[in-house]
Amino acid sequence: MNDTEKDNKSGEDSEALEEEEVDPRIQGELEKLNQSTDNINRWETELEDSRQKFRAVLVEATVKLDEQVKKIGKAVEDSKPYWEARRAARQAQVEAQRATQEYQRAIEILRAAKETIALAEERLLEEDSRQFDSAWQEMLNHATQRVMEAEQSRTRTEIEHRETAAKYNTAISHMRQLEKKLKRTINKSRPYFELKAKYYLQLEQLKRRVDERQDKLTQAKAEYRTALRNLETISDEIHARRRLSAMGPRGRGVGAEDDGTATDDISNFKMESDGISST
């Protein structure tokens, strides 16, 4: 083959590579990559803002509560047993209410299971004794099993209901005893503990917001890494496909190896962080 023919072949190969259709998955993953980058920047900004608000409220609460302590004095410390007993009573009340709901739910489940058994037994009695309805018999067996499980659940929740109710009654009794004993100091320290409760609720809400932003940021970073891995996989597939094409029936002379300059390969594509924080 003369030099002119070689030049024509080289030109045809280059045109074929340039005209090769770009894998549509690349565009899709690049869009995901860009979207996850935007999300990362957004959630990092919102996370930092939420943390700053939390710290600001925490500092404010510390200063205000210290001022209350200096203003009220010894009554804050002396009345602490009552306020702690009050908090424990409220927690016991929540647990008792939860146990009551579970107990009532267990009773309803048991009642429904018993009704199913009654229906299945009635159906079996109506059938000719010489015929055996396997479907209804299976339902009866299943209902019987549910009744046994429901009875166990009812027994367990009933015990828990009694225990939590007893704890609540004990906690309320203890709180009322302290209320009578420390009535004067309780009234004097009330502004401090009411302010403390107010800041506690506010900080709890801010903390939930911080946690939500942290979860969103973690998810966005995971999506970013997934898109990068997918791009790498697609790139490897394109490499393999081109290598197979280069090793086809038409031989290639020594020194004619593809140096990659005429392809649209993305293996050298450097992904920038686009402002992604390294923290």
Side-chain angles (χ1 to χ4, degrees):
M1 181 181 296
N2 56 36
D3 293 340
T4 302
E5 292 175 338
K6 289 182 179 179
D7 291 340
N8 291 338
K9 284 291 184 181
S10 178
E12 291 174 0
D13 292 343
S14 298
E15 290 177 4
L17 288 173
E18 289 174 359
E19 293 174 359
E20 182 180 352
E21 187 175 331
V22 178
D23 193 317
R25 293 177 297 170
I26 294 177
Q27 182 61 31
E29 294 303 327
L30 286 175
E31 290 176 358
K32 292 178 183 178
L33 201 67
N34 292 332
Q35 182 61 52
S36 59
T37 299
D38 292 341
N39 291 339
I40 288 172
N41 290 332
R42 172 192 172 187
W43 295 124
E44 280 186 337
T45 301
E46 292 196 16
L47 176 61
E48 183 57 30
D49 289 344
S50 299
R51 285 172 172 168
Q52 289 180 0
K53 289 178 182 177
F54 180 88
R55 288 191 290 265
V57 173
L58 183 60
V59 171
E60 178 186 331
T62 303
V63 172
K64 296 292 185 181
L65 291 173
D66 285 345
E67 291 176 355
Q68 285 289 325
V69 170
K70 292 176 182 177
K71 181 180 178 180
I72 296 172
K74 192 170 178 290
V76 172
E77 188 66 28
D78 291 343
S79 63
K80 271 187 178 180
Y82 165 77
W83 295 104
E84 290 175 354
R86 178 172 172 165
R87 179 182 56 80
R90 180 164 297 181
Q91 180 63 32
Q93 182 184 27
V94 171
E95 293 177 357
Q97 290 173 343
R98 177 188 54 78
T100 300
Q101 292 173 352
E102 291 183 357
Y103 176 53
Q104 291 173 345
R105 191 180 302 114
I107 290 175
E108 287 298 318
I109 292 174
L110 178 59
R111 181 186 58 78
K114 286 184 175 180
E115 288 179 356
T116 303
I117 280 187
L119 179 62
E121 289 177 341
E122 182 181 352
R123 173 61 187 272
L124 286 174
L125 290 174
E126 291 175 355
E127 295 291 333
D128 189 338
S129 59
R130 290 170 298 178
Q131 297 178 353
F132 181 75
D133 192 328
S134 59
W136 279 93
Q137 182 63 50
E138 179 65 24
M139 188 181 76
L140 178 60
N141 294 338
H142 181 67
T144 303
Q145 180 65 29
R146 287 200 62 185
V147 166
M148 294 173 60
E149 294 173 353
E151 286 178 343
Q152 293 174 354
S153 178
R154 184 194 61 177
T155 301
R156 175 181 55 78
T157 55
E158 184 179 10
I159 293 173
E160 186 177 2
H161 169 63
R162 288 205 203 100
E163 291 177 348
T164 54
K167 288 180 181 178
Y168 171 65
N169 291 331
T170 301
I172 284 291
S173 177
H174 179 57
M175 183 194 76
R176 288 174 178 169
Q177 289 175 0
L178 290 172
E179 188 175 12
K180 292 179 180 179
K181 179 181 178 181
L182 304 171
K183 185 175 181 179
R184 184 176 178 182
T185 56
I186 290 171
N187 291 333
K188 190 175 181 180
S189 66
R190 189 178 299 276
Y192 168 85
F193 287 99
E194 288 180 347
L195 183 63
K196 185 177 181 180
K198 171 191 168 185
Y199 275 119
Y200 176 81
L201 291 176
Q202 189 175 355
L203 288 169
E204 277 291 303
Q205 293 173 353
L206 290 172
K207 183 179 181 298
R208 282 196 296 270
R209 182 177 176 84
V210 169
D211 292 341
E212 288 172 358
R213 272 39 186 183
Q214 182 63 65
D215 291 341
K216 295 285 188 181
L217 177 59
T218 300
Q219 180 181 352
K221 288 184 175 181
E223 292 171 352
Y224 181 88
R225 290 191 297 269
T226 299
L228 274 182
R229 286 196 297 268
N230 291 343
L231 281 171
E232 291 173 358
T233 301
I234 295 170
S235 177
D236 291 341
E237 292 176 2
I238 292 174
H239 272 302
R241 189 162 59 243
R242 288 177 179 169
R243 282 196 297 269
L244 289 174
S245 177
M247 296 169 61
R250 184 170 56 85
R252 306 183 65 182
V254 177
E257 289 82 358
D258 185 9
D259 59 5
T261 58
T263 71
D264 59 350
D265 188 16
I266 65 169
S267 61
N268 295 323
F269 179 62
K270 300 294 185 182
M271 297 305 304
E272 299 296 336
S273 65
D274 291 332
I276 298 173
S277 172
S278 61
T279 59

